[in-house]
Amino acid sequence: QVRLVESGGGLVQAGGSLRLSCAASGRFLWINDMRWYRQAPGKQRELAAAITDGGITNYADSVKGRFTISRDNAKKTVYLQMNSLKPEDTAVYYCNAEVKTMTWAAESYWGQGTQVTVSS
């Protein structure tokens, strides 16, 4: 079983910064892509940022230039540095990981989510 645990959410004023972390634990061979999704109230979940195991990154247009995704493979952790936060960034942020299991299957796992609230 693979577990993803997020941390780092909270309340911040517009223009401020937060850093989210997501640590993976359990038994698996390796982690491929890791992603941060977000879901605002009344809206669908959307991809905010993604990073491959080789470090190639991809961002939603709405966060480009403000958010930076990174990962530490040794720590099995992905980060999301969020700068210049706006009220529209308010959402629950979810970590997602594509994992190669001990049986060589590819499976997707989700964290429990962490709330980010940006006040104006």
Side-chain angles (χ1 to χ4, degrees), residues 32-35 49-59 69-71 73 78:
N32 291 323
D33 294 357
M34 301 187 83
R35 308 178 186 96
I51 186 168
T52 68
D53 56 351
I56 298 172
T57 59
N58 185 39
Y59 297 94
I69 188 171
S70 60
R71 63 191 284 173
N73 291 328
V78 64

Side-chain angles (χ1 to χ4, degrees), residues 81-116:
Q81 178 66 44
M82 306 185 293
N83 299 329
S84 302
L85 282 161
K86 304 175 181 179
E88 50 263 45
D89 294 318
T90 295
V92 177
Y93 284 71
Y94 296 91
C95 174
N96 170 260
E98 299 291 335
V99 172
K100 187 69 73 174
T101 71
M102 299 300 290
T103 59
W104 290 85
E107 295 184 358
S108 181
Y109 290 89
W110 292 87
Q112 81 285 357
T114 186
Q115 177 70 47
V116 171

Side-chain angles (χ1 to χ4, degrees), residues 3-8 19-25 28 30-36 51-53 69-80 95-97:
R3 187 179 180 210
L4 300 177
V5 178
E6 298 120 332
S7 60
R19 189 192 193 208
L20 305 183
S21 299
C22 171
S25 62
F28 49 88
W30 67 80
I31 303 174
N32 291 323
D33 294 357
M34 301 187 83
R35 308 178 186 96
W36 286 99
I51 186 168
T52 68
D53 56 351
I69 188 171
S70 60
R71 63 191 284 173
D72 185 329
N73 291 328
K75 294 183 179 180
K76 304 172 187 176
T77 300
V78 64
Y79 306 96
L80 186 67
C95 174
N96 170 260

